[in-house]
Every structure is written in structure tokens, then in C-alpha cells.
Amino acid sequence: MSALLFFLFLFSDVIEASFFSASGEPIVRNISELAQSNYGRGGLSHVTVAGSVLHGFKEVEVWLQTFAPGSGTPIHRHSCEEVFIVLKGSGTLYLASSSHKQYPGKPEEYHLFSNSTFHIPVNDVHQVKNTNKDEDLQVLVVISRPPAKVFIYKDWSMPHTAAKLKFPYYWDEEYFQSPKDEL
Ligand SMILES: *[C@@H]1O[C@H](CO)[C@@H](O)[C@H](O)[C@H]1NC(C)=O
Ligand SMILES: *[C@@H]1O[C@H](CO)[C@@H](O)[C@H](O)[C@H]1NC(C)=O
């Protein structure tokens, strides 16, 4: 093999190696081509951009979610940090921050708007809702400590102890059922 060919061989190897991450996913991916689903929840479109069970992330998970007018998350809490960036639309954050009571109680309401960001304090009960009748609400969500362990409330007066653990969460379910290395 000539020196030049050998060099090209080495070079192509480097390109190949940097193209795929440890999970076997390409480093750069087209968001429009990632799997999206409503996971049985009306008005939702969810994309796991970077996932724990899906891509092997240990510290963070990133979601892209779109809520049709009137739809939103359940009333819930989790013991992870969560940061939102509103990419499109507007809506309302309902946040019950008092951790002293037996139940969440009447939440504070915060107006969410395009290009706004907000975070949910660990364990605070909250709900994000598209309260704009005319436009989808699209958010980028980052959570810590994946996969998400979510406690769901029927309403704001449900005792914290009665909130129901949903684990694995909707989009993690199918991957928990079929182990990843079983192709
Ligand atoms: C990303 O995917 C969408 C949908 O398939 C496609 O229209 C678009 O051209 C893609 N972008 C690039 C840069 O390939
Ligand atoms: C969001 O805010 C940043 C910082 O001011 C700005 O650069 C960006 O253009 C804004 N984006 C939109 C869609 O308004």
C-alpha cells in the first residue's frame, strides 16, 4: 500500500469513528426524522431528542414536545431538575410550590410565551398547558436524573401520598419491555 493510500485509509477510519456515538446513533441527527408519537395522549407530539433508555444518556435527557391547543401535561411531580425553553406558541404553567401541605393546593399561574424559559423546582407539583386556542405550544425540555420517575395527580387537592407513580414513563415503556440488545 502506498503512503498516500495508507493515509487515506487512516483518514476514512477517523471520519467513520466520529460519525457514530457510543450508542450507535449518528452524532448529528435531523430532528424531523426522529421518531415522534403522542404515546396515547391526545394533542401531544413527543420526540426524545436525547434519551436515557433510548440513547444511553446518564445525566440528562432532552425532549421536544408540541401541545395542541387545550392539551398539556398531567398534574405531576418528579425528583429531578427540569428546564423548559418555549420555542413556539404560548401557554400557562401551573405550579404549586408549597411543600408543607398534604396536597398541592391551588397553583400559581405563570404566562409562558415564545422564547421564554422556565424551570421546575425539584418535587414541586406542576402542569404545563397550551391555553392559547389558536396556536401549538412547542417546548424543548431538559431533565436531570433520567429515566423520569413521575408521580401523577388527578387534581390539585389529591394528597401527595396518593399521587400515582408512572414508571417507566410513557415514552420509556416500549424500551423497558424489550431489552435493547435483543434485536
Ligand atoms: C430533515 O428532514 C426533513 C424531513 O424528512 C427534510 O425535509 C429536510 O430536508 C431534512 N434536512 C436536512 C438538512 O437533511
Ligand atoms: C430569543 O432571544 C434571543 C436573545 O435575545 C434572541 O437572540 C433570539 O432571536 C430570540 N428568538 C426569537 C424567536 O425571538
Side-chain angles (χ1 to χ4, degrees), residues 1-102:
M1 200 187 289
S2 77
L4 177 61
L5 271 178
F6 184 65
F7 173 78
L8 285 174
F9 172 76
L10 274 183
F11 191 65
S12 69
D13 217 40
V14 169
I15 297 291
E16 196 98 17
S18 65
F19 193 73
F20 291 95
S21 66
S23 67
E25 293 280 336
I27 293 285
V28 179
R29 290 169 297 141
N30 183 342
I31 288 177
S32 304
E33 290 171 357
L34 302 183
Q36 69 86 31
S37 170
N38 65 10
Y39 296 93
R41 279 167 49 181
L44 171 72
S45 158
H46 170 97
V47 176
T48 298
V49 175
S52 166
V53 288
L54 198 52
H55 309 113
F57 282 85
K58 304 267 191 295
E59 312 288 346
V60 293
E61 190 158 295
V62 181
W63 307 330
L64 179 68
Q65 299 187 319
T66 309
F67 297 97
S71 70
T73 70
I75 301 171
H76 68 286
R77 71 166 206 267
H78 35 61
S79 60
C80 62
E81 294 168 334
E82 185 171 39
V83 178
F84 286 79
I85 294 169
V86 180
L87 301 177
K88 276 187 220 160
S90 60
T92 307
L93 164 67
Y94 302 90
L95 181 67
S97 52
S98 166
S99 51
H100 304 296
K101 287 193 210 126
Q102 307 293 307

Side-chain angles (χ1 to χ4, degrees), residues 92-153:
T92 307
L93 164 67
Y94 302 90
L95 181 67
S97 52
S98 166
S99 51
H100 304 296
K101 287 193 210 126
Q102 307 293 307
Y103 58 92
K106 190 176 158 39
E108 297 285 332
E109 294 184 20
Y110 299 89
H111 178 63
L112 309 173
F113 51 94
S114 179
N115 220 17
S116 66
T117 180
F118 59 99
H119 73 280
I120 309 298
V122 170
N123 275 323
D124 278 2
V125 181
H126 60 285
Q127 178 180 37
V128 174
K129 220 167 165 179
N130 183 354
T131 46
N132 178 335
K133 285 189 207 64
D134 305 317
E135 221 186 324
D136 283 354
L137 168 67
Q138 187 172 58
V139 290
L140 192 71
V141 189
V142 180
I143 64 156
S144 68
R145 302 175 59 190
K149 294 153 205 81
V150 176
F151 289 85
I152 296 182
Y153 295 70

